[in-house]
Amino acid sequence: MFRLIFNVLWVILGGLELALAWWFIALIFAISIIGIPWARAAFNIGLYTLWPFGSDAVRRDTALGQEDIGTGALGLLGNIIWVLLAGWWLALGHILIGLFLAITIIGLPFAYIHFKLVPITLFPVGMMVVSKNNMTQPYSQRS
């Protein structure tokens, strides 16, 4: 029940805009051809930011039990490029917003979410968003 309440508050107080921004960036990456490897990562971050309470970002190889192109050497290269060009300042932004929100008791749950977003904004390639109720099934495959 609390997850639903916090997710609705999150969406109303900026989560929807943040998710839409990530999905727009994913679209730009996909259109640009060279950004296709990061389009999926940006889409996953958008999914995570839309409904963060009750979900986690986990590595695909850990959750699914098999390596793929995003969790191998090319995924590592993609993450290195990402962190150098964008990841570090996106993570820093979430840390600063989280610290600001942590000043008040009401802001603590939302600060927690911003801190949860730091790892996936630093190294998004090879990650997937899963429900905490079913840690091996991504949101995109649930019925």
Side-chain angles (χ1 to χ4, degrees):
M1 180 65 174
F2 282 112
R3 286 182 187 170
L4 176 64
I5 292 169
F6 282 127
N7 276 320
V8 169
L9 285 173
W10 174 265
V11 167
I12 291 171
L13 297 174
L16 178 63
E17 291 85 0
L18 190 57
L20 290 173
W22 275 110
W23 292 332
F24 178 73
I25 295 300
L27 180 65
I28 298 299
F29 280 143
I31 290 172
S32 72
I33 305 296
I34 196 168
I36 287 175
W38 296 281
R40 181 177 183 176
F43 179 81
N44 283 336
I45 296 171
L47 182 62
Y48 194 33
T49 58
L50 181 63
W51 210 250
F53 292 94
S55 62
D56 273 323
V58 297
R59 290 188 46 84
R60 281 195 312 267
D61 57 354
T62 303
L64 301 176
Q66 62 184 19
E67 226 179 69
D68 60 27
I69 195 165
T71 59
L74 288 176
L76 176 64
L77 178 63
N79 276 326
I80 291 170
I81 293 169
W82 175 273
V83 77
L84 292 175
L85 297 179
W88 69 271
W89 60 267
L90 291 168
L92 180 63
H94 283 297
I95 290 169
L96 293 175
I97 292 169
L99 289 173
F100 178 74
L101 289 170
I103 293 172
T104 66
I105 292 174
I106 294 171
L108 281 175
F110 304 108
Y112 170 72
I113 294 302
H114 279 285
F115 295 139
K116 270 181 54 169
L117 287 166
V118 170
I120 195 170
T121 56
L122 272 175
F123 308 107
V125 179
M127 300 289 281
M128 64 189 258
V129 179
V130 296
S131 169
K132 284 186 179 179
N133 296 333
N134 189 355
M135 291 299 285
T136 61
Q137 192 172 19
Y139 275 120
S140 60
Q141 294 177 356
R142 288 191 315 173
S143 55

